[in-house]
C-alpha cells in the first residue's frame, strides 16, 4: 500500500491511497465466505459454493463491493497511522479507481487537529477579587442558619411578610381549570419568592379562610409561560419564631459551645468559599489570556457539530427539565434568535480552542493521569450530578465516557501548570498564592470542562 497526504487547509487533509490487488486477498476471501453463508445454490451445500459459481450467479462486482467495504477501514487506518495524523471524525471516502486483479485507488478527506505552537506563557498576569469577609457577611450567614431553625405557630390574624401560610391553589387559562393547575395544602413563606409572581401581594392581609384571585405567568407545567388566573385560599396563617442568638442556639445548630465560636467558624467557611471562587476566577482569567496568545484554526464541520450539540443539550435536556422551549427561554433571557446563535457559536469556538490548546499542553508537558486523580474527579462529578459515585462510575463505563473524564483531568493539570507560572494578584495588588496543587488541579479540571461543555471535539477525537 502506498499513501500520500495533501494539506487542504490547516484543519483538513486529503489522503490518496493505492492498494495493490494482492493486498485485498483476505478481504476477498472474507467476501466469498460471507456471501456463501447468505445464498443458496442448487447442487451445493450451504457454505460450500465455489468462488467461480458465486461469480457466475451473483456477479464478480458484488464480491468486489463487499471486499472493498471490508478493506477500506483497514487501509485508511494504516495510512492515518503512517502519516501520524490526529484525525477528527469520519472521513469522506471516494474510490477513484478499482481494476479487478490490478489495483484499488481511493481518497479520504478528513478533519485533523491543527498544529499549534504554544508560546511562552510565563509572563501571564491576571487580577482576581480579594478574599474579604466582613462582619456583615458573617452576621448574614448566622442569620440564615438561625432561620433554618425557626419554629412556626398558628396565629389568628391577617398574614404578613415572613409568615408561613398554608394554601390551596387553582389556576385557569382562558377560563378553564388546568388538569395540573390544582394544588392543596401548599406551605409558603411570604416574601420568599418561591411560588408565583404576585402571590405575596394576594395573600398579605388575608386571614385563615380568606381567598383572593390574581393574574400570573405560570413557571412550569402544561401551560408554562402562559398567563393564568390564579385563585388562592388561605387555610392557615403561622408566625415564624426565630431562636435567640445565644450560646444555646450555637449548641443547637452546630458542634460549638458558644456563639462566638459559631461566628468564627462561619467566617472561616466564608473565607474558604471565597478562596475557592478566587481560584476559579484565576483559572478562567489565565485561560482567557492563554487563548489570546495562541492562534487556533477551528475546523468548520467540527464547529457546526459543536454548535448543534450545545443547542441539542440546551433544548432537550436543560430546558426540557424546566418545562420550557427555546422560544420561551429566549423571551425570558431577552435575546433574539440571532443573538443566541452568535453567543452559542462564540462559546463553541472557545470550547474547541480550549480543548486543542490544553491537549497540546498535555503533550508538551508530558502530563498523565493516575487512578487516584481520576477517582477524585469522578467523585466530584458524581456529587454535582446528584448520583452516588458507584452509579456515576457505572454510567460512565457503560457510556464509554472514561476517556472523556481522563481528558478533563489531564486538561485541568495542563491549565494548573499555566496558572502556577502566571502572576495572580488580587484587587488590592497582593500576590495570590494558589499553593494547593490537588485542589488547583481539580478546580482547573472543572473550569476546563465547563468551557468545553458540548464535547463534539472530544467525541470526534474518540471517533
Amino acid at each position: 500500500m502506498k499513501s500520500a497526504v495533501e494539506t487542504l487547509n490547516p484543519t483538513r487533509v486529503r489522503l490518496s491511497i493505492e492498494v495493490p490487488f494482492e493486498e485485498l486477498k483476505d478481504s476477498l476471501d472474507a467476501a466469498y465466505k460471507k456471501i456463501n453463508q447468505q445464498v443458496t445454490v442448487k447442487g451445493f451445500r450451504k457454505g460450500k459454493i465455489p468462488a467461480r459459481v458465486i461469480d457466475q450467479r451473483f456477479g464478480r462486482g458484488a464480491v468486489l463491493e463487499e471486499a472493498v467495504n471490508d478493506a477500506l477501514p483497514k487501509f485508511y487506518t494504516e495510512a492515518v497511522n503512517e502519516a501520524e495524523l490526529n484525525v477528527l471524525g469520519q472521513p469522506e471516502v471516494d474510490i477513484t479507481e478499482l481494476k479487478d486483479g490490478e489495483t484499488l485507488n481511493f481518497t479520504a478527506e478528513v478533519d485533523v487537529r491543527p498544529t499549534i505552537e504554544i508560546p511562552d506563557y510565563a509572563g501571564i498576569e491576571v487580577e482576581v477579587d480579594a478574599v474579604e469577609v466582613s462582619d456583615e457577611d458573617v452576621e448574614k450567614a448566622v442569620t440564615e442558619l438561625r432561620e433554618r431553625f425557626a419554629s412556626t405557630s398558628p396565629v389568628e390574624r391577617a398574614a404578613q411578610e415572613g409568615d408561613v401560610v398554608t394554601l390551596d391553589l387553582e389556576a385557569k387559562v382562558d377560563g378553564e381549570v388546568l388538569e395540573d393547575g390544582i394544588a392543596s395544602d401548599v406551605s409558603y413563606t411570604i416574601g420568599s419568592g418561591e411560588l408565583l409572581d404576585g402571590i405575596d401581594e394576594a395573600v398579605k392581609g388575608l386571614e385563615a379562610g380568606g381567598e383572593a384571585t390574581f393574574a400570573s405567568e405560570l413557571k412550569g407545567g402544561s401551560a408554562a409561560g402562559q398567563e393564568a388566573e390564579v385563585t388562592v385560599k388561605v387555610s392557615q396563617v403561622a408566625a415564624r419564631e426565630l431562636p435567640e442568638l445565644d450560646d444555646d442556639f450555637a449548641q443547637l445548630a452546630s458542634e460549638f459551645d458558644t456563639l462566638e465560636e459559631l461566628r468564627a467558624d462561619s467566617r472561616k467557611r466564608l473565607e474558604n468559599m471565597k478562596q475557592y471562587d478566587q481560584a476559579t476566577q484565576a483559572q478562567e482569567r489565565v485561560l482567557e489570556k492563554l487563548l489570546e496568545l495562541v492562534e487556533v484554526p477551528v475546523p468548520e464541520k467540527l464547529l457546526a457539530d459543536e454548535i448543534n450539540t450545545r443547542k441539542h443539550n440546551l433544548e432537550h435536556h436543560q430546558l426540557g427539565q424546566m418545562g420550557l422551549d427555546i422560544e420561551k427561554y429566549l423571551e425570558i433571557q431577552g435575546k433574539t434568535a440571532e443573538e443566541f446563535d452568535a453567543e452559542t457559536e462564540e462559546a463553541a469556538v472557545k470550547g474547541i480552542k480550549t480543548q486543542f490548546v490544553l491537549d497540546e499542553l498535555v503533550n508538551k508537558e508530558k502530563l498523565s493521569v493516575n487512578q487516584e486523580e481520576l477517582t477524585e474527579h469522578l467523585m466530584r462529578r458524581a456529587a454535582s450530578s446528584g448520583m452516588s459515585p458507584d452509579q456515576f462510575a457505572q454510567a460512565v463505563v457503560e457510556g464509554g465516557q472514561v476517556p472523556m473524564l481522563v481528558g478533563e483531568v489531564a486538561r485541568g493539570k495542563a491549565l494548573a501548570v499555566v496558572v502556577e507560572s502566571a502572576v495572580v494578584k488580587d484587587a488590592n495588588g497582593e500576590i495570590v498564592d494558589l499553593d494547593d496543587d490537588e485542589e488547583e488541579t481539580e478546580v482547573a479540571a472543572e473550569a476546563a470542562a465547563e468551557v468545553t461543555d458540548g464535547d463534539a471535539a472530544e467525541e470526534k477525537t474518540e471517533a
Side-chain angles (χ1 to χ4, degrees):
M1 184 199 78
K2 295 180 182 178
S3 63
V5 180
E6 176 187 358
T7 300
L8 303 178
N9 61 50
T11 62
R12 193 165 180 83
V13 299
R14 179 188 293 123
L15 288 161
S16 298
I17 303 167
E18 299 179 13
V19 182
F21 206 80
E22 57 267 21
E23 294 188 29
L24 290 174
K25 183 180 183 307
D26 289 344
S27 293
L28 281 169
D29 291 343
Y32 279 116
K33 185 176 181 180
K34 182 176 181 179
I35 294 173
N36 241 309
Q37 300 300 321
Q38 294 175 337
V39 301
T40 301
V41 176
K42 189 175 181 180
F44 296 96
R45 285 182 297 162
K46 195 174 186 66
K48 300 296 183 179
I49 307 170
R52 59 179 176 77
V53 175
I54 291 177
D55 289 345
Q56 292 170 355
R57 290 292 186 93
F58 306 101
R60 174 72 167 174
V63 178
L64 289 176
E65 181 180 357
E66 183 67 40
V68 169
N69 288 339
D70 176 75
L72 282 179
K74 178 182 69 173
F75 292 118
Y76 165 74
T77 301
E78 287 181 10
V80 167
N81 292 338
E82 185 178 285
E84 297 182 342
L85 298 175
N86 197 339
V87 300
L88 298 168
Q90 299 302 317
E92 295 179 5
V93 176
D94 180 29
I95 298 175
T96 56
E97 186 176 28
L98 175 59
K99 290 186 177 179
D100 194 358
E102 295 183 26
T103 187
L104 164 66
N105 296 339
F106 68 96
T107 62
E109 287 191 18
V110 67
D111 286 335
V112 294
R113 281 183 177 249
T115 300
I116 298 173
E117 294 295 330
I118 303 295
D120 180 15
Y121 47 78
I124 290 179
E125 292 188 16
V126 297
E127 182 181 291
V128 296
D129 295 337
V131 174
E132 296 175 345
V133 178
S134 66
D135 292 342
E136 290 76 12
D137 293 332
V138 174
E139 289 308 310
K140 181 181 178 182
V142 172
T143 298
E144 290 174 353
L145 179 62
R146 186 185 178 200
E147 289 178 347
R148 292 208 296 270
F149 284 84
S151 59
T152 59
S153 57
V155 292
E156 295 182 2
R157 60 165 171 76
Q160 60 189 31
E161 187 82 10
D163 284 346
V164 178
V165 288
T166 304
L167 310 172
D168 293 335
L169 297 164
E170 180 183 85
K172 294 180 181 180
V173 173
D174 297 329
E176 297 291 331
V177 178
L178 299 171
E179 289 186 8
D180 55 354
I182 298 176
S184 301
D185 295 328
V186 176
S187 181
Y188 174 66
T189 301
I190 300 176
S192 66
E194 294 175 351
L195 279 178
L196 300 168
D197 293 338
I199 194 169
D200 289 339
E201 292 75 14
V203 298
K204 282 180 186 177
L206 295 181
E207 298 184 15
E211 185 176 306
T213 300
F214 63 100
S216 183
E217 184 179 294
L218 299 178
K219 297 180 179 179
S222 61
Q226 296 187 46
E227 190 80 6
E229 180 186 88
V230 182
T231 299
V232 57
K233 183 175 181 180
V234 177
S235 58
Q236 178 180 277
V237 178
R240 298 174 74 244
E241 297 176 1
L242 299 177
E244 291 294 328
L245 267 181
D246 53 23
D247 292 346
D248 289 339
F249 168 70
Q251 295 167 22
L252 170 68
S254 71
E255 69 272 28
F256 302 106
D257 293 328
T258 68
L259 183 59
E260 286 311 305
E261 289 176 326
L262 175 59
R263 284 196 172 105
D265 181 70
S266 296
R267 183 179 294 276
K268 183 63 178 176
R269 288 175 185 272
L270 290 171
E271 288 175 350
N272 290 340
M273 289 172 58
K274 286 181 177 287
Q275 286 171 351
Y276 185 89
D277 292 342
Q278 187 185 63
T280 300
Q281 196 175 63
Q283 309 283 359
E284 293 170 349
R285 294 184 178 178
V286 167
L287 176 59
E288 289 175 0
K289 286 289 186 72
L290 176 63
L291 293 180
E292 290 174 2
L293 296 175
V294 188
E295 185 68 30
V296 186
V298 176
E300 291 182 8
K301 189 173 187 306
L302 179 63
L303 176 58
D305 289 346
E306 179 73 7
I307 291 172
N308 289 334
T309 297
R310 287 172 181 261
K311 286 184 175 180
H312 178 85
N313 288 343
L314 175 65
E315 293 185 42
H316 297 280
H317 298 293
Q318 300 169 37
L319 296 185
Q321 292 176 356
M322 295 186 288
L324 298 175
D325 57 21
I326 188 65
E327 288 76 17
K328 188 59 186 177
Y329 170 75
L330 293 179
E331 182 183 332
I332 294 172
Q333 294 292 315
K335 298 176 183 175
T336 65
E338 291 73 19
E339 290 171 335
F340 170 71
D341 288 343
E343 290 179 4
T344 303
E345 180 174 349
E346 182 181 354
V349 168
K350 183 178 181 181
I352 293 171
K353 286 185 175 182
T354 296
Q355 183 169 323
F356 285 171
V357 170
L358 295 183
D359 285 347
E360 184 64 29
L361 269 169
V362 169
N363 294 330
K364 180 180 179 180
E365 302 293 342
K366 296 180 172 57
L367 302 175
S368 60
V369 177
N370 60 41
Q371 186 62 49
E372 183 179 351
E373 291 167 335
L374 181 60
T375 299
E376 175 67 21
H377 186 59
L378 186 147
M379 297 278 282
R380 286 179 180 255
R381 286 291 300 269
S384 64
S385 71
M387 301 169 67
S388 72
D390 288 344
Q391 289 174 325
F392 187 79
Q394 183 177 352
V396 166
V397 172
E398 291 177 353
Q401 299 299 302
V402 173
M404 183 188 73
L405 288 187
V406 172
E408 288 176 359
V409 178
R411 285 188 282 275
K413 295 180 74 170
L415 181 53
V417 168
V418 181
V419 173
E420 286 173 8
S421 66
V423 177
V424 181
K425 295 181 179 180
D426 66 18
N428 297 325
E430 300 292 330
I431 295 293
V432 177
D433 183 17
L434 305 171
D435 57 358
D436 188 336
D437 292 342
E438 182 177 334
E439 183 73 12
E440 182 182 348
T441 297
E442 187 55 41
V443 171
E446 292 176 0
E450 183 174 346
V451 172
T452 57
D453 183 37
D455 296 332
E458 186 105 43
E459 291 167 7
K460 284 208 170 251
T461 302
E462 292 302 316

